[in-house]
Structures are given as C-alpha cells and as structure tokens.
DNA sequence: GGGCTGACCTACT
DNA sequence: CAGTAGGCCAGCC
C-alpha cells in the first residue's frame, strides 16, 4: 500500500515544512548555511531545495530567513536587492559582524555557537 | 513529453 | 583566492 514515491523522505511538501522548522529553530545571533539546513531538515533534500523552501514560505510566518546564508558565509542575494539590506541589517542587529561582506561561520555558525556556549568565548 | 531556470554545494585547476 | 564544471530536483513554459 505504501507507495515508495509518497513516503515522508520523498515528500517534498513535508520536507519543506521541516526546513521552516529548522530555520525557526536557529538561535539568536547565529547563522546557518543552506547545506546545513538541508541536512538538518532531513534526507531527500539539498541546498537548492532550501532556497525554494524559503521563497515558498508564507509571509505571515515571520521566518528568520536572514539567518540562512550560503556556504561562503556571504549573502546569496544580489546587493542590489532589498533582501540583501534586510538580511545584513538584521544580522548586524543580532550581533553578527560582516567582514568584506562576509560573516565568520566559525564564530556565528551553528557549530561555533555550541562551541562558544561550551567554551565561553575563551580569549578569541 | 522536452528544455531552461534557480536565495546552492563540492571538487578541481 | 578566482574561475570553471558537474550535480541536484522542483517549478514553469
């Protein structure tokens, strides 16, 4: 009965909702890369799906999409777009610093966040 | 049914 | 560090 093409792992709609939950679960002052979000959302997904999921997300959702950036630590939307200013501004508001238009994934990344919580910003 | 696009990633040169 | 190439798969024409 179970159609292998309709399981949870292959259901794009379900996977998309997982992405939204993952993004909503990003702590304050932290950022995640599309690849990381895709992995946390579950199998059957890739970085490209994340981008679509964020765009398809409803506006009343208040999804912190600004905490999602590309693997290079840079904003993946053209600086000419309003979204760029929004993302950069919001991140700076949360304490994220931009260097050369890039962020330090080693510090503001999810792994970095856990490290800081465990080590407590030990002299750097 | 075929072809192009896209808030991307990884590997190689 | 910069540029190129392949992979990924849903959405649209």
């Amino acid at each position: 009965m179970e159609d292998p093409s309709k399981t949870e792992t292959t259901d794009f709609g379900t996977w998309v909702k997982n992405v939204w939950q993952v993004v909503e679960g990003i702590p304050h002052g932290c950022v995640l890369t599309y690849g990381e979000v895709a992995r946390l959302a579950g199998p059957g997904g890739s970085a490209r799906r994340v981008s679509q999921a964020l765009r398809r997300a409803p506006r009343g959702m208040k999804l912190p999409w600004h905490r999602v950036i590309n693997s290079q630590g840079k904003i993946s939307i053209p600086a000419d777009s309003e979204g760029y200013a929004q993302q950069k501004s919001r991140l700076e508001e949360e304490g994220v610093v931009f260097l050369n238009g890039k962020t330090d994934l080693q510090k503001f990344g999810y792994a970095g966040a856990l490290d800081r919580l465990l080590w407590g910003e030990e002299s750097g």
Side-chain angles (χ1 to χ4, degrees):
Chain A
M1 300 278 233
E2 292 89 61
D3 197 335
S5 64
K6 273 194 80 171
T7 52
E8 296 176 34
T9 53
T10 45
D11 185 5
F12 185 67
T14 301
W15 186 84
V16 169
K17 293 211 278 190
N18 285 337
V19 173
W20 297 342
Q21 288 201 347
V22 171
V23 175
E24 273 195 1
I26 301 178
H28 175 96
C30 285
V31 293
L32 264 180
T33 66
Y34 291 89
E36 287 292 314
V37 174
R39 288 198 125 176
L40 293 171
S46 49
R48 206 133 212 175
R49 305 291 81 69
V50 176
S51 64
Q52 288 190 341
L54 294 177
R55 257 199 159 164
R56 292 170 67 82
R59 297 190 172 180
M61 203 165 183
K62 284 196 194 164
L63 202 66
W65 59 272
H66 56 265
R67 288 183 190 153
V68 187
I69 56 181
N70 64 11
S71 187
Q72 293 193 340
K74 298 198 302 190
I75 297 176
S76 195
I77 43 184
D80 200 349
S81 180
E82 294 183 9
Y84 183 94
Q86 281 249 327
Q87 181 159 24
K88 183 170 176 295
S89 183
R90 284 189 178 272
L91 288 175
E92 286 184 326
E93 286 264 308
E94 296 190 357
V96 179
V97 183
F98 275 78
L99 301 175
N100 267 345
K102 297 197 299 190
T103 69
D104 194 338
L105 293 173
Q106 297 241 10
K107 278 193 161 196
F108 305 110
Y110 220 82
L114 293 173
D115 232 31
R116 290 204 311 180
L117 289 172
L118 294 171
W119 288 83
E121 292 187 52
E122 192 181 281
S123 64

